[in-house]
Amino acid sequence: NKNITLDLNNHNLIGNGSDGAVFVEGGNVTLTGEGLVHGTLGADKYSMSVWAKDSHVVINDGLFTNETDGSERGTDLIYASGNAVIEINGGVFEAATPQWTLNVKDADYAAGKANIIVKGGSFKGFDPANAQTGAETNFVALGYQSVKEGDYYVVKPL
């Protein structure tokens, strides 16, 4: 239940498995500055970069990556559950399995409890305006658009 701003300051945050490199439960965390946030594949076959549970996470900058063993299980790069909201204003997102770049726990999303709101950033091989992580989902905020530029979808104001 704390408010924390974490300046990546060109450092690497590397975490293992389902807890991810950054796991926030019940707090408010802002990630800013250049740096790497990387999820390595754990024994549980998960490799999350950021997991927000019952919290609010703001991502302003950074490079977010993860790895996979080739299966789709647990390869969510950025994941929200419970009453979590993740707000993405910038950064570069390169998931090992692009389909799972952004994901919200299905039951929490359907109940209107958890969400990801994208107002900026570059997403390799993943269109945040047309996510296919269950039901078709548009994570892009009103007044913004997702534009394909090479291998990336870039979110910017209309």
Side-chain angles (χ1 to χ4, degrees):
N1 292 323
K2 296 189 179 213
N3 297 323
I4 297 171
T5 297
L6 181 59
D7 184 350
L8 298 173
N9 196 25
N10 292 310
H11 289 92
N12 296 336
L13 294 177
I14 299 173
N16 186 265
S18 60
D19 287 341
V22 176
F23 174 66
V24 181
E25 185 172 12
N28 297 299
V29 173
T30 299
L31 298 170
T32 191
E34 296 302 318
L36 173 69
V37 180
H38 179 75
T40 63
L41 192 65
D44 60 2
K45 302 294 184 188
Y46 284 81
S47 63
M48 292 181 191
S49 181
V50 175
W51 178 11
K53 180 179 181 183
D54 298 321
S55 57
H56 183 222
V57 174
V58 177
I59 298 173
N60 290 326
D61 299 296
L63 172 61
F64 298 81
T65 62
N66 67 350
E67 52 195 58
T68 183
D69 63 358
S71 69
E72 290 188 10
R73 181 174 185 264
T75 59
D76 303 304
L77 183 65
I78 308 294
Y79 185 72
S81 66
N83 288 306
V85 174
I86 299 174
E87 181 181 331
I88 299 174
N89 299 313
V92 177
F93 303 85
E94 297 179 352
T97 308
Q99 175 184 350
W100 299 104
T101 301
L102 304 179
N103 193 18
V104 178
K105 185 174 181 179
D106 292 341
D108 296 337
Y109 185 78
K113 295 176 8 179
N115 200 6
I116 298 174
I117 302 164
V118 180
K119 297 178 181 175
S122 298
F123 302 83
K124 186 173 184 181
F126 176 83
D127 183 0
N130 188 24
Q132 302 292 319
T133 54
E136 230 177 273
T137 305
N138 180 358
F139 292 119
V140 176
L142 290 175
Y144 293 82
Q145 63 183 334
S146 175
V147 178
K148 187 157 177 36
E149 295 181 4
D151 292 337
Y152 292 82
Y153 287 87
V154 179
V155 176
K156 45 182 104 174
L158 288 171

